[in-house]
Amino acid sequence: MNGEYRTLSNQGIESNVLFFGQEKCLPNYFFKGNNVRNNYIIHYVQSGKGTFSVANHHTVNLKAGDIFILPKGVPCFYQADGKQPWSYFWIGFSGVKIKTMLNNSKLVNKYYLRQVQESQTLASLKKLFKAAHNQNSLVNDVLIESLIYKFFYHLLTEYPEQNKLKSKNSNEELQLAINYLEQNYINPACTITSVCHELDISRSYLYNIFRQNLNLTPSQFLTQLRMEKAKQNLLNSSYTVQQIANTVGYGDEFTFSKAFKRYTGLSPKFYRKKSNH
């Protein structure tokens, strides 16, 4: 087989190209590694044909001009045809916005799109693949990021998902975010960014579902969790202020005390003293 595989070093939080490559497959070739991926990998079939299947979906025959995606965290299998084996190029994407953008396109339900040769989606994907080969530089990093959004813009406008039940999904994701914060607020590493990474969603999407459902920002909700628990500890324990700070995700007493006073109007020591009288 003739092919290439390369990784990129620039690591954007919201979206970036993690790796890319291309392959001219031998007859009946299939990938023998782990069939569950840690990222979203989009393939474009340049010639030939093959079969593709995702867990709980029927196997489909794909050919030159088709796109398919290896979804993150879902088992999948693909194999070159025995007589006309395919060649393809691929791009692996990572970042908290990728799932949100894919979820609003037709690609996420079927995991493939047929005959996209004349689409702006393919044209922008090819430009992105070409730019990924350029010498690493700040200018090229900016170009790659802009082309990622251009690709997803065309994917969302040319192949939008019409029947997505957003309310159900947003309610589920809100509950997942709440559960994550309630279970992890004691850890100083628990931040809004860590929630987005854990759920693979963007900050703006998380902000919107919190505001719409709780009338709080995610940061306000996390602060409320920590401060209400701190109030309980101040009233019902003999822990020092430093110890209480540590139990609600703050590394030092000073930062905790400032946050507590902003939240309650009182210092932790004065809150304890006033409440015990």
Side-chain angles (χ1 to χ4, degrees):
M1 291 199 308
N2 299 315
E4 67 167 336
Y5 178 91
R6 292 170 60 183
T7 60
L8 293 181
S9 58
N10 59 307
Q11 296 292 312
I13 291 175
E14 294 193 333
S15 60
N16 73 281
V17 170
L18 196 62
F19 50 79
F20 62 94
Q22 57 186 335
E23 199 77 68
K24 184 174 177 61
C25 297
L26 295 172
N28 296 314
Y29 169 78
F30 64 92
F31 179 67
K32 295 182 176 66
N34 185 358
N35 70 346
V36 179
R37 273 68 180 182
N38 294 322
N39 304 96
Y40 296 97
I41 309 170
I42 293 177
H43 289 63
Y44 174 68
V45 183
Q46 298 165 295
S47 63
K49 56 185 181 179
T51 58
F52 172 66
S53 63
V54 177
N56 302 317
H57 286 69
H58 294 299
T59 299
V60 294
N61 296 310
L62 299 178
K63 62 182 181 180
D66 297 340
I67 280 178
F68 65 95
I69 183 170
L70 308 184
K72 179 179 178 180
V74 182
C76 53
F77 177 82
Y78 56 109
Q79 183 172 18
D81 184 71
K83 294 182 179 179
Q84 300 177 53
W86 54 17
S87 64
Y88 46 65
F89 72 79
W90 70 83
I91 300 177
F93 294 92
S94 70
V96 296
K97 274 194 174 179
I98 300 299
K99 179 182 178 182
T100 303
M101 293 188 288
L102 283 171
N103 278 352
N104 287 280
S105 76
K106 285 182 179 177
L107 190 56
V108 79
N109 275 345
K110 297 192 299 183
Y111 301 106
Y112 64 90
L113 298 171
R114 294 195 187 276
Q115 302 304 288
V116 300
Q117 299 97 318
E118 305 302 320
S119 68
Q120 291 297 312
T121 299
L122 177 60
S124 55
L125 187 66
K126 284 183 173 180
K127 287 179 182 177
L128 177 59
F129 184 69
K130 182 179 178 182
H133 287 80
N134 294 342
Q135 187 173 355
N136 186 40
S137 67
L138 175 60
V139 170
N140 202 57
D141 289 349
V142 173
L143 174 62
I144 286 173
E145 188 164 358
S146 70
L147 289 172
I148 290 172
Y149 286 108
K150 188 173 183 180
F151 164 70
F152 280 104
Y153 169 78
H154 289 305
L155 181 66
L156 292 172
T157 52
E158 291 182 317
Y159 304 100
E161 176 50 58
Q162 304 290 358
N163 301 316
K164 185 169 174 59
L165 299 175
K166 292 184 180 177
S167 59
K168 180 184 176 186
N169 286 338
S170 65
N171 287 337
E172 289 175 354
E173 287 173 321
L174 174 65
Q175 192 56 54
L176 287 171
I178 290 172
N179 292 345
Y180 176 86
L181 291 170
E182 288 178 341
Q183 292 165 14
N184 293 279
Y185 72 88
I186 190 172
N187 187 343
C190 177
T191 63
I192 304 310
T193 298
S194 71
V195 180
C196 292
H197 278 297
E198 179 69 20
L199 302 185
D200 202 9
I201 57 178
S202 69
R203 289 182 72 96
S204 58
Y205 178 72
L206 186 69
Y207 178 90
N208 287 336
I209 61 176
F210 266 81
R211 290 291 293 175
Q212 290 167 8
N213 292 278
L214 302 179
N215 200 30
L216 292 170
T217 68
S219 294
Q220 288 170 335
F221 181 84
L222 177 57
T223 298
Q224 180 176 288
L225 268 178
R226 286 171 163 160
M227 293 302 121
E228 291 301 321
K229 184 64 176 178
K231 284 163 67 175
Q232 290 176 25
N233 288 339
L234 284 164
L235 297 181
N236 302 317
S237 79
S238 57
Y239 292 159
T240 66
V241 173
Q242 177 65 61
Q243 288 172 324
I244 290 172
N246 293 340
T247 66
V248 294
Y250 287 87
D252 66 273
E253 179 180 337
F254 178 71
T255 305
F256 165 69
S257 296
K258 281 179 63 179
F260 189 87
K261 188 167 186 178
R262 276 198 306 271
Y263 185 78
T264 64
L266 303 171
S267 70
K269 290 179 180 177
F270 192 71
Y271 178 87
R272 171 181 269 171
K273 183 177 179 181
K274 183 179 179 183
S275 300
N276 286 335
H277 282 79

